[in-house]
Structure formats: structure tokens, C-alpha cells
């Protein structure tokens, strides 16, 4: 009986360890994927809500090249983070149930609307499209809202809390990270920091 209990314990431990292991990469974007400039995405809420797919590993640490990922629409149009080089990027991880995400979203929308050289990518973590669409409609989110339904991007960027915002320089390296509510002058300060580094 003790042997069976011991064996059962090892099975449980093995299952728990495998559950904590890093998720497999999503692989490359589908064969029909073609890089499309963001201004050629649909002119609609959430820019059509492209779906995320991790392309390659990178490092979520400040100073390192940001993990690259693709985001694409059902018709094959899409982009990846690497295709945005030359422009600074604000990568905001959020969820509809997150109170601080709700509180900071108006400033992120205003930032997107006020600075055409800046790319604001809103990464929704693990939620279905209807909930994301309703939230985006409430806040008038006309920037690209990427659906990270399998948590691939969240894991690649080691995001543990929401909201988390990652500031990526024009050369593709991470200039700053912030976990928690971020708005107003503090948000603007991080943007200026990545523009001048």
C-alpha cells in the first residue's frame, strides 16, 4: 500500500512540474501570413482584433531585444513586432476584469491618438473576443488590440500582474517596464525615455 501511495505521489509531482514548465512556442505565423503595415489594417475598433502567435524567443529584460511575435487577421494580413522597428512601441498587457487596466485605458487611448509615430499595442491576455470587443467599444480603442488567448506573449514577456506595460525602443530593445497602474505624466515620461534613448 505504501508503494502505491509513493507512486501516486510521484505521478502528482510529475504532473505539477509539467504544468509549470514553459509553454511551447506558438511557432511561425501561418503560411498565408504576409506582413502588412498597421495603417493598412482594417479601419475599425481594435484594428480587427488580430490573434497573437509567438514567433521567436527573446528576453523580457531591460536592454535586451524584445521577444518577437506575430499578430494576424483571419484574411492573412498581419504584422510582427520586428516589422515595427524604427518606431517606439508601447506594449500594454491587460484584461477586462482588471480594475487598474480600466482606470489607465483612457490615457493609453489618448496616447495612441496624439502620437502617430508611436505604436501602442494593447495585448489582451486570455479572454474571448466578445468580452474584449465590449471593453474596446466602451473605451474607443482604435489602436491594435492583440488577442493573446493562449498566453504566449504574456509568458514570453514574463508578465505576472496586470496591467503591465513594456516600453520598446525604436531599435527593438526594451527600454523600460512597469507593473501596475500607469497613466498621466508617468506614462508620458516613459514614452519620452524610449524616444530619446
Amino acid at each position: 500500500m505504501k508503494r502505491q501511495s509513493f507512486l501516486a505521489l510521484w505521478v502528482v509531482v510529475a504532473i505539477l512540474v509539467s504544468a509549470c514548465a514553459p509553454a511551447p512556442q506558438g511557432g511561425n505565423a501561418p503560411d498565408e501570413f504576409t506582413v502588412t503595415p498597421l495603417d493598412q489594417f482594417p479601419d475599425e475598433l481594435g484594428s480587427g482584433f488580430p490573434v497573437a502567435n509567438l514567433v521567436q524567443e527573446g528576453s523580457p529584460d531591460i536592454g535586451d531585444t524584445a521577444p518577437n511575435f506575430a499578430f494576424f487577421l483571419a484574411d492573412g494580413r498581419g504584422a510582427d513586432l520586428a516589422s515595427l522597428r524604427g518606431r517606439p512601441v508601447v506594449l500594454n498587457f491587460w484584461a477586462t476584469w482588471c480594475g487598474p487596466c480600466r482606470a489607465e485605458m483612457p490615457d493609453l487611448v489618448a496616447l495612441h491618438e496624439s502620437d502617430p509615430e508611436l505604436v501602442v499595442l494593447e495585448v489582451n491576455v486570455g479572454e474571448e473576443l466578445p468580452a474584449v470587443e465590449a471593453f474596446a467599444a466602451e473605451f474607443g480603442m482604435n489602436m491594435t488590440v492583440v488577442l493573446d488567448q493562449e498566453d504566449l506573449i504574456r509568458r514570453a514577456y514574463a508578465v505576472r500582474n496586470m496591467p503591465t506595460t513594456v516600453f520598446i525602443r525604436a531599435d527593438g530593445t526594451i527600454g523600460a517596464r512597469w507593473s501596475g497602474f500607469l497613466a498621466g505624466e508617468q506614462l508620458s515620461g516613459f514614452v519620452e525615455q524610449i524616444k530619446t534613448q
Side-chain angles (χ1 to χ4, degrees):
M1 189 70 169
K2 284 186 178 181
R3 183 178 172 126
Q4 289 175 334
S5 296
F6 183 73
L7 183 58
L9 176 64
W10 275 108
V11 169
V12 169
V13 169
I15 291 170
L16 290 175
V17 168
S18 67
C20 295
Q25 290 187 18
N28 292 326
D31 292 338
E32 65 274 10
F33 173 79
T34 54
V35 175
T36 305
L38 290 185
D39 61 4
Q40 293 178 22
F41 271 49
D43 187 21
E44 58 188 52
L45 194 65
S47 296
F49 300 99
V51 176
N53 192 10
L54 190 61
V55 173
Q56 68 184 54
E57 293 290 342
S59 170
D61 297 329
I62 294 172
D64 291 342
T65 299
N68 189 30
F69 60 92
F71 45 98
F72 52 92
L73 302 164
D75 65 7
R77 286 182 294 171
D80 63 5
L81 188 64
S83 71
L84 301 176
R85 294 262 172 96
R87 298 171 67 185
V89 176
V90 174
L91 193 60
N92 179 251
F93 292 86
W94 64 281
T96 62
W97 48 262
C98 164
C101 301
R102 175 175 289 276
E104 72 179 11
M105 195 56 67
D107 282 1
L108 288 160
V109 170
L111 179 66
H112 164 72
E113 292 172 350
S114 68
D115 191 343
E117 292 306 309
L118 181 71
V119 177
V120 178
L121 292 178
E122 292 293 334
V123 180
N124 176 268
V125 177
E127 296 185 284
E128 297 298 322
L129 182 57
V132 178
E133 283 180 318
F135 186 98
E138 180 180 349
F139 288 95
M141 295 170 70
N142 292 319
M143 68 277 270
T144 303
V145 177
V146 180
L147 301 178
D148 187 22
Q149 294 171 327
E150 296 179 23
D151 288 353
L152 296 171
I153 301 171
R154 180 191 65 78
R155 291 178 188 181
Y157 280 83
V159 172
R160 292 176 180 83
N161 304 307
M162 282 181 279
T164 291
T165 308
V166 180
F167 297 87
I168 302 171
R169 302 176 187 113
D171 68 0
T173 60
I174 296 177
R177 289 178 64 103
W178 184 265
S179 180
F181 174 78
L182 182 63
E185 291 181 8
Q186 192 175 19
L187 174 61
S188 299
F190 279 119
V191 170
E192 287 308 309
Q193 180 181 328
I194 60 169
K195 284 183 168 183
T196 57
Q197 288 178 333

